[in-house]
Amino acid sequence: MVNPQRVTDFFDVLGTWDPTLAFVMGGALIIAVPGFTLVLRRSAPICATAFHLPVLNQIDRRLILGSLIFGLGWGIGGFCPGPAIAALASGMIEPLAFTLSMMVGLYLARRLVLGRA
């Protein structure tokens, strides 16, 4: 998914729709759902004393706003954070611009929303 055209084409359902991303997400779910089910049956992880699972389970304004910002950045830029970092090796300017913008956004979120540097 380092090719942003595949991502933007996935969102273009009335034009040049590309279902590749749906197969990537489906493949991840095929592995993750049974994996989490099996692992969480254990009393503790193999290499730690306890599981560190999220404690917040409410949908609030911060979650919705963060999801919207992530989705907009993904839809406009065509990159998700992991593939954007991998695409830096291509030498193209787009993944660099996206990654730098993402880093600025992460810094601002920590500084403005969380109140720490």
Side-chain angles (χ1 to χ4, degrees):
M1 297 283 69
V2 297
N3 180 355
Q5 188 65 48
R6 287 199 182 269
V7 175
T8 54
D9 283 352
F10 174 75
F11 291 116
D12 189 8
V13 293
L14 299 177
T16 58
W17 185 64
D18 182 353
T20 307
L21 189 55
F23 292 113
V24 171
M25 289 187 274
L29 286 172
I30 288 170
I31 300 299
V33 170
F36 272 97
T37 302
L38 290 171
V39 167
L40 293 178
R41 287 184 184 164
R42 301 178 53 87
S43 59
I46 294 172
C47 297
T49 57
F51 288 108
H52 300 282
L53 301 171
V55 293
L56 299 177
N57 58 9
Q58 293 179 327
I59 297 175
D60 61 1
R61 187 175 58 106
R62 284 178 44 193
L63 177 65
I64 293 171
L65 182 60
S67 300
L68 285 171
I69 292 170
F70 178 86
L72 285 171
W74 189 34
I76 292 170
F79 288 107
C80 201
I85 292 170
L88 289 173
S90 71
M92 297 182 344
I93 192 73
E94 293 87 352
L96 179 62
F98 180 89
T99 304
L100 290 175
S101 299
M102 179 180 66
M103 300 305 283
V104 169
L106 289 168
Y107 173 78
L108 290 175
R110 285 182 64 94
R111 187 99 170 134
L112 301 174
V113 177
L114 302 176
R116 55 187 169 182

